[in-house]
mmCIF file of all heavy atoms in Angstrom:
data_model
loop_
_atom_site.group_PDB
_atom_site.id
_atom_site.type_symbol
_atom_site.label_atom_id
_atom_site.label_comp_id
_atom_site.label_asym_id
_atom_site.label_seq_id
_atom_site.Cartn_x
_atom_site.Cartn_y
_atom_site.Cartn_z
ATOM 1 N N PHE A 1259 5.722 11.447 6.463
ATOM 2 C CA PHE A 1259 6.531 10.213 6.125
ATOM 3 C C PHE A 1259 6.871 10.382 4.694
ATOM 4 O O PHE A 1259 6.010 10.470 3.783
ATOM 5 C CB PHE A 1259 5.775 8.851 6.275
ATOM 6 C CG PHE A 1259 5.420 8.668 7.811
ATOM 7 C CD1 PHE A 1259 4.140 9.201 8.216
ATOM 8 C CD2 PHE A 1259 6.109 7.980 8.780
ATOM 9 C CE1 PHE A 1259 3.808 9.022 9.587
ATOM 10 C CE2 PHE A 1259 5.774 7.827 9.986
ATOM 11 C CZ PHE A 1259 4.548 8.257 10.448
ATOM 12 N N ASN A 1260 8.182 10.234 4.348
ATOM 13 C CA ASN A 1260 8.611 10.490 2.960
ATOM 14 C C ASN A 1260 9.291 9.305 2.459
ATOM 15 O O ASN A 1260 9.711 8.351 3.215
ATOM 16 C CB ASN A 1260 9.619 11.696 2.952
ATOM 17 C CG ASN A 1260 8.949 12.910 3.338
ATOM 18 O OD1 ASN A 1260 8.089 13.442 2.677
ATOM 19 N ND2 ASN A 1260 9.378 13.499 4.493
ATOM 20 N N ASN A 1261 9.267 9.184 1.131
ATOM 21 C CA ASN A 1261 9.914 8.005 0.360
ATOM 22 C C ASN A 1261 11.250 7.812 0.928
ATOM 23 O O ASN A 1261 12.085 8.790 1.010
ATOM 24 C CB ASN A 1261 9.918 8.354 -1.111
ATOM 25 C CG ASN A 1261 10.304 7.178 -1.940
ATOM 26 O OD1 ASN A 1261 9.784 6.132 -1.775
ATOM 27 N ND2 ASN A 1261 11.272 7.378 -2.815
ATOM 28 N N GLY A 1262 11.703 6.590 1.228
ATOM 29 C CA GLY A 1262 13.015 6.236 1.774
ATOM 30 C C GLY A 1262 13.031 6.359 3.333
ATOM 31 O O GLY A 1262 14.094 5.826 3.927
ATOM 32 N N ASP A 1263 12.141 6.879 3.977
ATOM 33 C CA ASP A 1263 12.108 6.815 5.494
ATOM 34 C C ASP A 1263 11.968 5.465 5.920
ATOM 35 O O ASP A 1263 11.475 4.518 5.194
ATOM 36 C CB ASP A 1263 11.038 7.657 6.040
ATOM 37 C CG ASP A 1263 11.214 9.193 5.825
ATOM 38 O OD1 ASP A 1263 12.299 9.586 5.432
ATOM 39 O OD2 ASP A 1263 10.283 9.937 6.203
ATOM 40 N N TYR A 1264 12.151 5.201 7.224
ATOM 41 C CA TYR A 1264 11.962 3.840 7.823
ATOM 42 C C TYR A 1264 11.020 3.998 9.053
ATOM 43 O O TYR A 1264 11.018 5.003 9.678
ATOM 44 C CB TYR A 1264 13.215 3.211 8.262
ATOM 45 C CG TYR A 1264 14.104 2.812 7.055
ATOM 46 C CD1 TYR A 1264 15.077 3.701 6.536
ATOM 47 C CD2 TYR A 1264 14.118 1.529 6.604
ATOM 48 C CE1 TYR A 1264 15.851 3.314 5.494
ATOM 49 C CE2 TYR A 1264 14.956 1.145 5.502
ATOM 50 C CZ TYR A 1264 15.825 2.060 5.053
ATOM 51 O OH TYR A 1264 16.655 1.733 3.952
ATOM 52 N N VAL A 1265 10.096 2.979 9.241
ATOM 53 C CA VAL A 1265 9.330 3.006 10.339
ATOM 54 C C VAL A 1265 9.505 1.654 11.112
ATOM 55 O O VAL A 1265 9.737 0.547 10.493
ATOM 56 C CB VAL A 1265 7.966 3.190 9.968
ATOM 57 C CG1 VAL A 1265 7.631 4.608 9.498
ATOM 58 C CG2 VAL A 1265 7.369 2.246 9.011
ATOM 59 N N LEU A 1266 9.360 1.740 12.443
ATOM 60 C CA LEU A 1266 9.438 0.516 13.297
ATOM 61 C C LEU A 1266 7.900 0.306 13.638
ATOM 62 O O LEU A 1266 7.212 1.109 14.171
ATOM 63 C CB LEU A 1266 10.237 0.699 14.595
ATOM 64 C CG LEU A 1266 10.163 -0.377 15.661
ATOM 65 C CD1 LEU A 1266 10.904 -1.627 14.977
ATOM 66 C CD2 LEU A 1266 10.866 0.072 16.940
ATOM 67 N N VAL A 1267 7.458 -0.962 13.243
ATOM 68 C CA VAL A 1267 6.084 -1.283 13.618
ATOM 69 C C VAL A 1267 5.917 -2.439 14.497
ATOM 70 O O VAL A 1267 6.801 -3.298 14.511
ATOM 71 C CB VAL A 1267 5.295 -1.369 12.290
ATOM 72 C CG1 VAL A 1267 5.284 -0.235 11.354
ATOM 73 C CG2 VAL A 1267 5.809 -2.737 11.540
ATOM 74 N N SER A 1268 4.817 -2.525 15.162
ATOM 75 C CA SER A 1268 4.494 -3.669 16.096
ATOM 76 C C SER A 1268 3.011 -3.958 16.075
ATOM 77 O O SER A 1268 2.177 -2.975 15.937
ATOM 78 C CB SER A 1268 4.969 -3.361 17.421
ATOM 79 O OG SER A 1268 4.595 -4.410 18.327
ATOM 80 N N ARG A 1269 2.653 -5.248 16.206
ATOM 81 C CA ARG A 1269 1.244 -5.540 16.307
ATOM 82 C C ARG A 1269 0.690 -5.413 17.732
ATOM 83 O O ARG A 1269 -0.414 -5.493 17.980
ATOM 84 C CB ARG A 1269 1.026 -7.059 15.867
ATOM 85 C CG ARG A 1269 1.068 -7.280 14.327
ATOM 86 C CD ARG A 1269 0.597 -8.626 13.915
ATOM 87 N NE ARG A 1269 -0.701 -9.013 14.329
ATOM 88 C CZ ARG A 1269 -1.881 -8.737 13.706
ATOM 89 N NH1 ARG A 1269 -1.897 -7.965 12.651
ATOM 90 N NH2 ARG A 1269 -3.010 -9.078 14.151
ATOM 91 N N LEU A 1270 1.637 -5.157 18.631
ATOM 92 C CA LEU A 1270 1.341 -5.097 20.030
ATOM 93 C C LEU A 1270 0.171 -4.096 20.281
ATOM 94 O O LEU A 1270 -0.803 -4.427 21.016
ATOM 95 C CB LEU A 1270 2.518 -4.764 20.933
ATOM 96 C CG LEU A 1270 2.373 -5.041 22.431
ATOM 97 C CD1 LEU A 1270 1.920 -6.409 22.754
ATOM 98 C CD2 LEU A 1270 3.605 -4.657 23.186
ATOM 99 N N PRO A 1271 0.253 -2.759 19.800
ATOM 100 C CA PRO A 1271 -0.889 -1.871 20.033
ATOM 101 C C PRO A 1271 -2.265 -2.400 19.548
ATOM 102 O O PRO A 1271 -3.318 -2.208 20.111
ATOM 103 C CB PRO A 1271 -0.507 -0.648 19.291
ATOM 104 C CG PRO A 1271 0.970 -0.641 19.268
ATOM 105 C CD PRO A 1271 1.341 -2.169 19.082
ATOM 106 N N LEU A 1272 -2.209 -3.191 18.447
ATOM 107 C CA LEU A 1272 -3.497 -3.714 17.888
ATOM 108 C C LEU A 1272 -3.984 -4.886 18.869
ATOM 109 O O LEU A 1272 -5.165 -4.950 19.150
ATOM 110 C CB LEU A 1272 -3.091 -4.326 16.528
ATOM 111 C CG LEU A 1272 -4.313 -4.904 15.693
ATOM 112 C CD1 LEU A 1272 -5.197 -3.714 15.336
ATOM 113 C CD2 LEU A 1272 -3.861 -5.700 14.462
ATOM 114 N N ILE A 1273 -3.050 -5.671 19.278
ATOM 115 C CA ILE A 1273 -3.450 -6.734 20.200
ATOM 116 C C ILE A 1273 -3.990 -6.174 21.584
ATOM 117 O O ILE A 1273 -5.042 -6.697 22.060
ATOM 118 C CB ILE A 1273 -2.248 -7.664 20.515
ATOM 119 C CG1 ILE A 1273 -1.874 -8.371 19.287
ATOM 120 C CG2 ILE A 1273 -2.526 -8.595 21.639
ATOM 121 C CD1 ILE A 1273 -0.403 -9.074 19.286
ATOM 122 N N LEU A 1274 -3.461 -5.093 21.998
ATOM 123 C CA LEU A 1274 -3.846 -4.510 23.236
ATOM 124 C C LEU A 1274 -5.145 -3.483 23.120
ATOM 125 O O LEU A 1274 -5.572 -2.931 24.116
ATOM 126 C CB LEU A 1274 -2.710 -3.763 23.915
ATOM 127 C CG LEU A 1274 -1.541 -4.555 24.279
ATOM 128 C CD1 LEU A 1274 -0.426 -3.705 24.801
ATOM 129 C CD2 LEU A 1274 -2.030 -5.672 25.398
ATOM 130 N N GLY A 1275 -5.555 -3.331 21.904
ATOM 131 C CA GLY A 1275 -6.686 -2.478 21.626
ATOM 132 C C GLY A 1275 -6.385 -1.047 21.778
ATOM 133 O O GLY A 1275 -7.277 -0.269 21.971
ATOM 134 N N MET A 1276 -5.132 -0.711 21.585
ATOM 135 C CA MET A 1276 -4.687 0.715 21.617
ATOM 136 C C MET A 1276 -4.842 1.537 20.295
ATOM 137 O O MET A 1276 -4.529 2.697 20.300
ATOM 138 C CB MET A 1276 -3.290 0.754 22.116
ATOM 139 C CG MET A 1276 -3.037 0.129 23.522
ATOM 140 S SD MET A 1276 -1.391 -0.099 23.978
ATOM 141 C CE MET A 1276 -0.674 1.517 23.963
ATOM 142 N N VAL A 1277 -5.201 0.853 19.228
ATOM 143 C CA VAL A 1277 -5.236 1.556 17.989
ATOM 144 C C VAL A 1277 -6.549 2.326 17.964
ATOM 145 O O VAL A 1277 -7.615 1.800 18.256
ATOM 146 C CB VAL A 1277 -5.171 0.586 16.772
ATOM 147 C CG1 VAL A 1277 -5.560 1.275 15.529
ATOM 148 C CG2 VAL A 1277 -3.907 -0.186 16.707
ATOM 149 N N LYS A 1278 -6.424 3.608 17.558
ATOM 150 C CA LYS A 1278 -7.598 4.361 17.431
ATOM 151 C C LYS A 1278 -7.615 5.295 16.171
ATOM 152 O O LYS A 1278 -6.647 5.307 15.425
ATOM 153 C CB LYS A 1278 -7.753 5.303 18.778
ATOM 154 C CG LYS A 1278 -6.460 6.071 19.001
ATOM 155 C CD LYS A 1278 -6.613 6.767 20.302
ATOM 156 C CE LYS A 1278 -5.278 7.538 20.549
ATOM 157 N NZ LYS A 1278 -5.089 7.892 21.870
ATOM 158 N N LYS A 1279 -8.591 6.184 16.007
ATOM 159 C CA LYS A 1279 -8.685 6.999 14.909
ATOM 160 C C LYS A 1279 -7.379 7.952 14.868
ATOM 161 O O LYS A 1279 -6.895 8.336 15.998
ATOM 162 C CB LYS A 1279 -9.888 7.850 14.897
ATOM 163 C CG LYS A 1279 -10.140 8.674 13.796
ATOM 164 C CD LYS A 1279 -11.472 9.383 13.884
ATOM 165 C CE LYS A 1279 -11.739 10.285 12.604
ATOM 166 N NZ LYS A 1279 -13.038 10.853 12.560
ATOM 167 N N ASN A 1280 -6.868 8.112 13.725
ATOM 168 C CA ASN A 1280 -5.588 8.890 13.448
ATOM 169 C C ASN A 1280 -4.291 8.086 13.858
ATOM 170 O O ASN A 1280 -3.147 8.613 13.575
ATOM 171 C CB ASN A 1280 -5.618 10.246 14.226
ATOM 172 C CG ASN A 1280 -6.658 11.130 13.644
ATOM 173 O OD1 ASN A 1280 -6.944 11.159 12.418
ATOM 174 N ND2 ASN A 1280 -7.380 11.852 14.536
ATOM 175 N N SER A 1281 -4.283 6.858 14.269
ATOM 176 C CA SER A 1281 -3.164 6.063 14.447
ATOM 177 C C SER A 1281 -2.616 5.829 13.046
ATOM 178 O O SER A 1281 -3.377 5.761 12.043
ATOM 179 C CB SER A 1281 -3.509 4.676 15.105
ATOM 180 O OG SER A 1281 -3.911 4.900 16.466
ATOM 181 N N ILE A 1282 -1.270 5.633 13.004
ATOM 182 C CA ILE A 1282 -0.627 5.310 11.674
ATOM 183 C C ILE A 1282 -0.337 3.770 11.698
ATOM 184 O O ILE A 1282 0.360 3.315 12.596
ATOM 185 C CB ILE A 1282 0.627 6.109 11.507
ATOM 186 C CG1 ILE A 1282 0.375 7.627 11.623
ATOM 187 C CG2 ILE A 1282 1.269 5.776 10.145
ATOM 188 C CD1 ILE A 1282 -0.387 8.179 10.618
ATOM 189 N N LEU A 1283 -0.920 3.087 10.699
ATOM 190 C CA LEU A 1283 -0.709 1.636 10.612
ATOM 191 C C LEU A 1283 -0.078 1.302 9.197
ATOM 192 O O LEU A 1283 -0.207 2.039 8.282
ATOM 193 C CB LEU A 1283 -2.041 0.889 10.729
ATOM 194 C CG LEU A 1283 -2.850 1.130 12.018
ATOM 195 C CD1 LEU A 1283 -4.124 0.261 11.985
ATOM 196 C CD2 LEU A 1283 -2.043 0.758 13.212
ATOM 197 N N VAL A 1284 0.554 0.112 9.268
ATOM 198 C CA VAL A 1284 1.055 -0.510 7.960
ATOM 199 C C VAL A 1284 0.253 -1.755 7.847
ATOM 200 O O VAL A 1284 0.034 -2.499 8.778
ATOM 201 C CB VAL A 1284 2.577 -0.772 8.138
ATOM 202 C CG1 VAL A 1284 3.058 -1.517 6.920
ATOM 203 C CG2 VAL A 1284 3.355 0.485 8.339
ATOM 204 N N PHE A 1285 -0.303 -1.898 6.661
ATOM 205 C CA PHE A 1285 -1.083 -3.053 6.290
ATOM 206 C C PHE A 1285 -0.895 -3.545 4.910
ATOM 207 O O PHE A 1285 -0.357 -2.858 3.953
ATOM 208 C CB PHE A 1285 -2.570 -2.669 6.527
ATOM 209 C CG PHE A 1285 -3.100 -1.537 5.766
ATOM 210 C CD1 PHE A 1285 -3.709 -1.724 4.549
ATOM 211 C CD2 PHE A 1285 -2.822 -0.182 6.173
ATOM 212 C CE1 PHE A 1285 -4.172 -0.639 3.776
ATOM 213 C CE2 PHE A 1285 -3.374 0.839 5.362
ATOM 214 C CZ PHE A 1285 -3.957 0.629 4.156
ATOM 215 N N LYS A 1286 -1.394 -4.743 4.689
ATOM 216 C CA LYS A 1286 -1.430 -5.242 3.256
ATOM 217 C C LYS A 1286 -2.793 -5.195 2.607
ATOM 218 O O LYS A 1286 -3.918 -5.422 3.148
ATOM 219 C CB LYS A 1286 -1.182 -6.899 3.406
ATOM 220 C CG LYS A 1286 0.141 -7.260 3.955
ATOM 221 C CD LYS A 1286 0.384 -8.711 4.073
ATOM 222 C CE LYS A 1286 1.568 -9.058 4.844
ATOM 223 N NZ LYS A 1286 1.662 -10.514 5.115
ATOM 224 N N SER A 1287 -2.631 -4.588 1.390
ATOM 225 C CA SER A 1287 -3.886 -4.487 0.468
ATOM 226 C C SER A 1287 -3.754 -5.360 -0.627
ATOM 227 O O SER A 1287 -2.620 -5.445 -1.286
ATOM 228 C CB SER A 1287 -3.985 -2.970 0.065
ATOM 229 O OG SER A 1287 -4.770 -2.887 -1.033
ATOM 230 N N ALA A 1288 -4.808 -6.110 -0.894
ATOM 231 C CA ALA A 1288 -4.738 -7.052 -2.086
ATOM 232 C C ALA A 1288 -4.416 -6.391 -3.379
ATOM 233 O O ALA A 1288 -3.741 -6.917 -4.190
ATOM 234 C CB ALA A 1288 -6.132 -7.880 -2.121
ATOM 235 N N GLU A 1289 -4.979 -5.154 -3.493
ATOM 236 C CA GLU A 1289 -4.826 -4.437 -4.729
ATOM 237 C C GLU A 1289 -3.580 -3.564 -4.807
ATOM 238 O O GLU A 1289 -3.014 -3.394 -5.871
ATOM 239 C CB GLU A 1289 -6.055 -3.506 -4.956
ATOM 240 C CG GLU A 1289 -6.044 -2.945 -6.345
ATOM 241 C CD GLU A 1289 -7.481 -2.158 -6.662
ATOM 242 O OE1 GLU A 1289 -8.327 -2.448 -5.928
ATOM 243 O OE2 GLU A 1289 -7.440 -1.408 -7.690
ATOM 244 N N TYR A 1290 -3.135 -3.016 -3.679
ATOM 245 C CA TYR A 1290 -2.027 -2.045 -3.658
ATOM 246 C C TYR A 1290 -0.794 -2.532 -2.978
ATOM 247 O O TYR A 1290 0.245 -1.698 -2.974
ATOM 248 C CB TYR A 1290 -2.620 -0.689 -3.072
ATOM 249 C CG TYR A 1290 -3.672 -0.047 -3.828
ATOM 250 C CD1 TYR A 1290 -4.957 -0.143 -3.273
ATOM 251 C CD2 TYR A 1290 -3.497 0.507 -4.996
ATOM 252 C CE1 TYR A 1290 -6.078 0.376 -3.951
ATOM 253 C CE2 TYR A 1290 -4.616 1.063 -5.763
ATOM 254 C CZ TYR A 1290 -5.857 0.926 -5.144
ATOM 255 O OH TYR A 1290 -6.993 1.467 -5.806
ATOM 256 N N GLY A 1291 -0.768 -3.580 -2.428
ATOM 257 C CA GLY A 1291 0.478 -4.031 -1.751
ATOM 258 C C GLY A 1291 0.521 -3.554 -0.342
ATOM 259 O O GLY A 1291 -0.541 -3.294 0.377
ATOM 260 N N ILE A 1292 1.637 -3.316 0.164
ATOM 261 C CA ILE A 1292 1.937 -2.882 1.550
ATOM 262 C C ILE A 1292 1.740 -1.349 1.538
ATOM 263 O O ILE A 1292 2.363 -0.613 0.871
ATOM 264 C CB ILE A 1292 3.211 -3.248 2.116
ATOM 265 C CG1 ILE A 1292 3.223 -4.803 2.322
ATOM 266 C CG2 ILE A 1292 3.467 -2.676 3.500
ATOM 267 C CD1 ILE A 1292 4.602 -5.334 2.847
ATOM 268 N N LEU A 1293 0.964 -0.836 2.430
ATOM 269 C CA LEU A 1293 0.588 0.592 2.508
ATOM 270 C C LEU A 1293 0.840 1.086 4.003
ATOM 271 O O LEU A 1293 0.679 0.336 4.978
ATOM 272 C CB LEU A 1293 -0.807 0.859 2.140
ATOM 273 C CG LEU A 1293 -1.288 0.488 0.653
ATOM 274 C CD1 LEU A 1293 -2.653 0.793 0.488
ATOM 275 C CD2 LEU A 1293 -0.452 1.419 -0.321
ATOM 276 N N ILE A 1294 1.168 2.300 4.080
ATOM 277 C CA ILE A 1294 1.223 3.025 5.450
ATOM 278 C C ILE A 1294 0.197 4.199 5.315
ATOM 279 O O ILE A 1294 0.167 5.033 4.464
ATOM 280 C CB ILE A 1294 2.620 3.549 5.756
ATOM 281 C CG1 ILE A 1294 2.529 4.301 7.106
ATOM 282 C CG2 ILE A 1294 3.262 4.444 4.692
ATOM 283 C CD1 ILE A 1294 3.960 4.677 7.614
ATOM 284 N N LYS A 1295 -0.836 4.131 6.209
ATOM 285 C CA LYS A 1295 -1.828 5.172 6.175
ATOM 286 C C LYS A 1295 -2.375 5.502 7.598
ATOM 287 O O LYS A 1295 -2.057 4.826 8.534
ATOM 288 C CB LYS A 1295 -3.060 4.545 5.416
ATOM 289 C CG LYS A 1295 -2.812 4.337 3.954
ATOM 290 C CD LYS A 1295 -2.620 5.446 3.163
ATOM 291 C CE LYS A 1295 -2.292 5.119 1.745
ATOM 292 N NZ LYS A 1295 -1.721 6.116 0.956
ATOM 293 N N LYS A 1296 -3.130 6.564 7.676
ATOM 294 C CA LYS A 1296 -3.760 7.095 8.858
ATOM 295 C C LYS A 1296 -5.139 6.355 9.020
ATOM 296 O O LYS A 1296 -5.858 6.331 8.075
ATOM 297 C CB LYS A 1296 -3.836 8.549 8.908
ATOM 298 C CG LYS A 1296 -4.420 9.141 10.199
ATOM 299 C CD LYS A 1296 -4.256 10.689 10.237
ATOM 300 C CE LYS A 1296 -4.841 11.311 9.143
ATOM 301 N NZ LYS A 1296 -4.927 12.802 9.330
ATOM 302 N N VAL A 1297 -5.482 5.883 10.289
ATOM 303 C CA VAL A 1297 -6.769 5.336 10.547
ATOM 304 C C VAL A 1297 -7.841 6.400 10.439
ATOM 305 O O VAL A 1297 -7.672 7.403 11.120
ATOM 306 C CB VAL A 1297 -6.766 4.551 11.832
ATOM 307 C CG1 VAL A 1297 -8.173 4.069 12.154
ATOM 308 C CG2 VAL A 1297 -5.783 3.363 11.912
ATOM 309 N N SER A 1298 -8.796 6.236 9.559
ATOM 310 C CA SER A 1298 -9.908 7.187 9.572
ATOM 311 C C SER A 1298 -11.131 6.717 10.323
ATOM 312 O O SER A 1298 -11.970 7.564 10.814
ATOM 313 C CB SER A 1298 -10.252 7.595 8.130
ATOM 314 O OG SER A 1298 -10.833 6.471 7.419
ATOM 315 N N ASP A 1299 -11.303 5.391 10.401
ATOM 316 C CA ASP A 1299 -12.486 4.804 11.171
ATOM 317 C C ASP A 1299 -12.181 3.381 11.515
ATOM 318 O O ASP A 1299 -11.420 2.747 10.776
ATOM 319 C CB ASP A 1299 -13.699 5.099 10.320
ATOM 320 C CG ASP A 1299 -14.951 4.851 11.188
ATOM 321 O OD1 ASP A 1299 -14.926 4.869 12.446
ATOM 322 O OD2 ASP A 1299 -16.071 4.687 10.524
ATOM 323 N N ILE A 1300 -12.862 2.849 12.552
ATOM 324 C CA ILE A 1300 -12.715 1.501 12.882
ATOM 325 C C ILE A 1300 -14.131 0.850 13.228
ATOM 326 O O ILE A 1300 -14.831 1.470 13.913
ATOM 327 C CB ILE A 1300 -11.804 1.291 14.205
ATOM 328 C CG1 ILE A 1300 -10.448 1.936 13.945
ATOM 329 C CG2 ILE A 1300 -11.700 -0.189 14.535
ATOM 330 C CD1 ILE A 1300 -9.542 2.008 15.238
ATOM 331 N N ASP A 1301 -14.385 -0.289 12.561
ATOM 332 C CA ASP A 1301 -15.602 -0.956 12.881
ATOM 333 C C ASP A 1301 -15.068 -2.184 13.861
ATOM 334 O O ASP A 1301 -14.671 -3.192 13.282
ATOM 335 C CB ASP A 1301 -16.254 -1.541 11.695
ATOM 336 C CG ASP A 1301 -17.517 -2.287 11.960
ATOM 337 O OD1 ASP A 1301 -17.677 -2.820 13.075
ATOM 338 O OD2 ASP A 1301 -18.339 -2.407 11.043
ATOM 339 N N ARG A 1302 -15.080 -2.034 15.128
ATOM 340 C CA ARG A 1302 -14.599 -2.949 16.009
ATOM 341 C C ARG A 1302 -15.374 -4.287 16.068
ATOM 342 O O ARG A 1302 -14.845 -5.267 16.277
ATOM 343 C CB ARG A 1302 -14.479 -2.340 17.424
ATOM 344 C CG ARG A 1302 -13.362 -1.198 17.463
ATOM 345 C CD ARG A 1302 -13.035 -0.850 18.842
ATOM 346 N NE ARG A 1302 -12.208 0.357 18.978
ATOM 347 C CZ ARG A 1302 -10.881 0.349 18.660
ATOM 348 N NH1 ARG A 1302 -10.232 -0.786 18.312
ATOM 349 N NH2 ARG A 1302 -10.235 1.540 18.682
ATOM 350 N N LEU A 1303 -16.663 -4.195 15.795
ATOM 351 C CA LEU A 1303 -17.446 -5.299 15.778
ATOM 352 C C LEU A 1303 -17.094 -6.392 14.635
ATOM 353 O O LEU A 1303 -17.027 -7.505 14.858
ATOM 354 C CB LEU A 1303 -18.990 -4.986 15.698
ATOM 355 C CG LEU A 1303 -19.603 -4.252 16.915
ATOM 356 C CD1 LEU A 1303 -21.053 -3.990 16.520
ATOM 357 C CD2 LEU A 1303 -19.561 -5.089 18.032
ATOM 358 N N LYS A 1304 -16.757 -5.689 13.493
ATOM 359 C CA LYS A 1304 -16.476 -6.644 12.379
ATOM 360 C C LYS A 1304 -14.904 -6.619 12.228
ATOM 361 O O LYS A 1304 -14.366 -7.441 11.334
ATOM 362 C CB LYS A 1304 -17.083 -5.995 11.079
ATOM 363 C CG LYS A 1304 -18.535 -6.130 11.057
ATOM 364 C CD LYS A 1304 -19.051 -5.567 9.754
ATOM 365 C CE LYS A 1304 -20.511 -5.594 9.811
ATOM 366 N NZ LYS A 1304 -21.158 -5.175 8.496
#
């Protein structure tokens, strides 16, 4: 993914529990703003 590219995102995979390691997500970070990154691990209990 390069600067200036566009991505279509949806919460549906998250709601359906389809997100797993290596999925690419967009999220809000209090310190860094909106980021796009690869999932390295998930603590489903928390």
Side-chain angles (χ1 to χ4, degrees):
F1259 299 87
N1260 296 295
N1261 190 50
D1263 289 356
Y1264 291 88
V1265 291
L1266 176 68
V1267 300
S1268 174
R1269 283 190 59 84
L1270 194 57
L1272 187 68
I1273 293 166
L1274 297 176
M1276 297 168 58
V1277 174
K1278 56 188 176 194
K1279 189 174 180 176
N1280 295 321
S1281 294
I1282 305 294
L1283 300 183
V1284 176
F1285 59 94
K1286 294 177 190 173
S1287 163
E1289 189 170 346
Y1290 301 106
I1292 295 177
L1293 298 173
I1294 178 172
K1295 300 287 179 202
K1296 180 169 56 169
V1297 175
S1298 63
D1299 199 13
I1300 303 171
D1301 182 337
R1302 295 197 187 274
L1303 293 176
K1304 295 181 180 180

